[in-house]
Amino acid sequence: MENKSQMREWLDDFGLSHPLVIGGPCSAETEEQVLKIAHELKDSDVTVLRAGIWKPRTRPGMFEGVGAIGLKWLQKAKEETGLLIATEVANKDHVKLAIEHDVDILWIGARSTVSPFIMQEIADALEGTDKIVLVKNPVNPDLALWLGGVERLYTANIKKLGLIHRGFSSYEKTKYRNNPEWQIAVEAQNKFPDLPMICDPSHITGKRDLIFDICQTALDLNFDGLMVESHWDPDNAWSDAAQQVTPTRLIQIMKDLKIRKESDHEEAYNTALNNLRTQIDIADQTILDTLGKRMLVAEEIGLLKKSKNVAVLQNKRWNEILGKMILEGKDRGLSEEFILKIFKAIHQESINHQEEVVNG
Ligand code: PEP
Ligand code: MN
């Protein structure tokens, strides 16, 4: 992807205040709902109104969107408020209708990015147009698949491109609906610094209370924008009710976020430092989560040993673990001394947990 700098020109052309903020409901429900939300969001940091018209639902029988009629409501909202409009497209017919209705930004959903056939179909349908296209990460944590989707669009001469980070699904339940896996977004930014990166905290968290912190982390990682689902009556939304915030709340979130601007040398230094510190914080959090999980497994082993009346400390197994970790540590540039220290400490904590289970 040579000449990537073209990709972010659209963002600069907008002359919009940094960051770009996209707000609006998960789904367009009625004309009244779309217009009400648009009017509440105009004259704020939000410059683009989003609404899903065709909704990809995991299981059949749920609300699947109002269809093409919703594009008329979006158009009307644009006329009345001056907001740009954005919607999700998932096939060539959607693309055609969105273009006919003057949709400014088309985004590709996480369930479409996983499919090279769909990505190619969309890219072919867009060829020769001047549309801004944002590609959400695929549901699975696969950076190549994500960037592959962008490459298909770029090859079809779509040059106004961007990425939306909406988190990744995992079998394991966590506090998030979709795990952020920030390192994937950071790697995408490092590989393609000219591709604007927008965070979608709504689909990452699945819960409105967690949205602010995710927005702040995204801004600390130099993201270029935010896409936040917003509904005038979130609890009664027809889709994704738990994660939507009112327009008033979204406007307050934007006021409370710390937005760092790279205006001078000193600021550039601070921004870079902040970015790296945020990456350290994320890594530390992962270490803690993993240690917590390891201790839970150790406790289960304790219970098992108790039922068989087996001693907690098993030296042979422990020496095997240590030897393996020293070797693997070397591959990662970690000294033997460090590995010994850290794993001895982990092992001791595991023994303490097991003993508590066995004796307690
Ligand atoms: C959406 O933005 O409403 C949506 C369906 O998102 P995703 O593709 O990230 O699940
Ligand atoms: Mn949604």
Side-chain angles (χ1 to χ4, degrees), residues 161-175:
L161 291 165
L163 300 173
I164 301 178
H165 170 231
R166 50 78 81 193
F168 302 87
S169 73
S170 65
Y171 177 67
E172 193 185 6
K173 288 284 154 266
T174 71
K175 72 172 174 170

Side-chain angles (χ1 to χ4, degrees), residues 27-66:
S27 303
E29 297 166 3
T30 64
E31 178 172 334
E32 186 203 8
Q33 173 243 21
V34 171
L35 293 176
K36 188 170 164 65
I37 295 166
H39 279 279
E40 287 187 31
L41 288 175
K42 75 163 193 233
D43 306 323
S44 74
D45 290 315
V46 177
T47 48
V48 184
L49 176 71
R50 65 149 281 157
I53 302 297
W54 302 283
K55 301 301 298 176
R57 305 312 297 272
T58 303
R59 305 185 59 188
M62 300 203 268
F63 171 61
E64 294 193 326
V66 294

Side-chain angles (χ1 to χ4, degrees), residues 312-342:
V312 162
L313 193 60
Q314 313 243 312
N315 266 320
K316 184 165 166 277
R317 159 96 178 131
W318 169 234
N319 286 329
E320 278 168 15
I321 294 181
L322 258 192
K324 192 164 165 240
M325 289 304 119
I326 288 170
L327 279 179
E328 297 216 0
K330 240 180 221 154
D331 290 345
R332 293 163 174 79
L334 304 170
S335 71
E336 178 169 341
E337 188 197 356
F338 173 68
I339 295 288
L340 279 174
K341 253 192 216 151
I342 202 156

Side-chain angles (χ1 to χ4, degrees), residues 25-27 50 52 55-56 88 107-111 136-137 139 166 177-178 200 203 227 229 240 243:
C26 176
S27 303
R50 65 149 281 157
K55 301 301 298 176
E88 172 176 347
W107 84 78
I108 293 162
R111 292 162 194 75
K136 285 200 171 195
N137 65 255
V139 283
R166 50 78 81 193
R177 180 178 175 193
N178 292 290
D200 170 351
H203 291 89
M227 174 152 101
E229 285 188 342
D240 287 352
Q243 70 193 34

Side-chain angles (χ1 to χ4, degrees), residues 3-14:
N3 213 355
K4 289 168 304 191
S5 58
Q6 276 172 285
M7 288 180 189
R8 65 181 309 122
E9 263 169 28
W10 65 270
L11 196 59
D12 303 333
D13 283 355
F14 275 0

